[in-house]
Amino acid sequence: MADTKSKQRRFLVSNPHQVKEAVVVAHDTLLSSMKMHKDWQYEKGLLPPLKLDKYNQALFDTFHWIEDTNEIFKNIELILDDLALYSTLHNPSFYFMPGDKTTRYFLLIRTFFYEFYRIKEIFNLFLAKMKKIKVFSKAEVEEARTEFHKAFEHAFTLRNQMVHRRFIWGGQKHCCLVTVRACESFGYCMENMDSGELVQADNLLAELVAEWSEQLFAETKPMVEVIDALACHVTDTIVTTLTKDPTRE
């Protein structure tokens, strides 16, 4: 079941055709610039200056925003793929993963929210660029930031709790997991008082991962859809605004 979901999951924001056209213009402009700067010190890892008109520069900036966001979605896919190894005890990879499994589980969950928050940070930087060239007004930028935060406030709140203060992993299963791991570290094991069976940390991990995987997938999918819609809206606004007045300051 987990493997099937992993294959179906594809978090990717598409570049509108106007953005793709601007990338072609940027490519051709860069080649021309490289021909003009034959003595450029490429060994320093820098490319010669790329001078685009305001219209294509705005669309090229949009391309960078979309691709930076897609990079984060790729990172999130890797996190969910790693979690998928935990969701079934029949997967041999589960038993050969290095390090403590519980520590890795908590790290993966935290890393998801760190990456998820970066989407907001990158979006805010992009909006600042668009405000600078007056594609959007100050009021429009503030409204976009507010609405974006509201849409994913729950995920952002969790991230802030993890970063700025001690985050309490709630629920009976988390409590049992930590207790079982503590017992194991002292050479003891826990027994279910009702059934008399030993409580296995790996079983608890599999159950928790299944629950978290569903939640993290549910957080990410609408974010992709929102960014996809925003990319189209921003592109249309750039086309409308800068086509009407390409020298707009």
Side-chain angles (χ1 to χ4, degrees):
M1 182 177 178
D3 290 339
T4 302
K5 280 192 173 182
S6 178
K7 290 176 183 177
Q8 291 177 344
R9 194 169 54 238
R10 288 294 180 269
F11 300 138
L12 183 67
V13 177
S14 301
N15 282 290
H17 72 88
Q18 297 96 329
V19 172
K20 293 178 181 178
E21 291 169 0
V23 172
V24 173
V25 172
H27 173 267
D28 294 343
T29 304
L30 179 60
L31 288 180
S32 299
S33 181
M34 291 172 70
K35 290 177 181 177
M36 292 173 59
H37 297 82
K38 293 181 179 180
D39 296 330
W40 192 266
Q41 295 178 322
Y42 294 101
E43 64 273 11
K44 292 184 178 180
L46 299 174
L47 294 174
L50 178 63
K51 295 183 179 179
L52 297 171
D53 58 83
K54 187 174 288 188
Y55 173 80
N56 281 298
Q57 184 63 58
L59 290 173
F60 195 52
D61 287 340
T62 304
F63 169 75
H64 279 294
W65 163 58
I66 292 172
E67 291 309 306
D68 286 346
T69 304
N70 277 332
E71 181 184 355
I72 294 175
F73 286 134
K74 289 177 183 177
N75 293 343
I76 287 175
E77 283 197 11
L78 288 176
I79 293 169
L80 295 178
D81 286 343
D82 278 0
L83 284 172
L85 297 178
Y86 280 56
S87 61
T88 171
L89 299 181
H90 301 295
N91 191 327
S93 300
F94 175 81
Y95 296 98
F96 293 101
M97 295 181 75
D100 182 76
K101 297 181 182 68
T102 303
T103 302
R104 182 183 291 273
Y105 159 71
F106 287 127
L107 174 63
L108 288 171
I109 300 299
R110 282 192 172 96
T111 305
F112 170 87
F113 286 104
Y114 296 163
E115 287 296 290
F116 199 83
Y117 192 81
R118 284 181 59 222
I119 298 172
K120 175 184 175 182
E121 294 177 327
I122 289 173
F123 181 56
N124 285 341
L125 290 173
F126 173 68
L127 284 176
K129 283 186 177 181
M130 293 300 102
K131 183 179 76 170
K132 186 175 181 179
I133 61 174
K134 298 188 178 179
V135 171
F136 292 119
S137 67
K138 181 179 179 181
E140 288 171 331
V141 167
E142 291 303 318
E143 182 182 5
R145 285 175 174 168
T146 300
E147 293 303 316
F148 189 81
H149 182 84
K150 283 182 181 178
F152 302 97
E153 187 170 6
H154 173 67
F156 296 148
T157 299
L158 280 176
R159 177 265 178 190
N160 289 336
Q161 288 176 345
M162 290 178 175
V163 172
H164 299 299
R165 53 183 179 272
R166 182 176 176 81
F167 183 77
I168 304 301
W169 297 88
Q172 182 182 8
K173 290 177 183 176
H174 275 118
C175 180
C176 287
L177 177 63
V178 173
T179 305
V180 170
R181 285 301 193 197
C183 288
E184 289 177 348
S185 67
F186 289 102
Y188 296 98
C189 58
M190 282 185 63
E191 182 180 288
N192 188 301
M193 294 179 62
D194 296 325
S195 65
E197 296 178 353
L198 293 180
V199 180
Q200 301 289 337
D202 288 351
N203 291 333
L204 290 170
L205 265 178
E207 293 176 14
L208 284 167
V209 166
E211 295 173 6
W212 272 99
S213 294
E214 291 289 340
Q215 181 178 337
L216 301 185
F217 185 87
E219 294 280 2
T220 307
K221 191 172 184 296
M223 175 65 89
V224 178
E225 295 169 352
V226 166
I227 298 295
D228 211 42
L230 282 171
C232 292
H233 173 67
V234 169
T235 300
D236 289 343
T237 305
I238 290 172
V239 171
T240 301
T241 304
L242 298 184
T243 300
K244 286 181 178 178
D245 186 4
T247 62
R248 187 173 179 177
E249 295 294 340

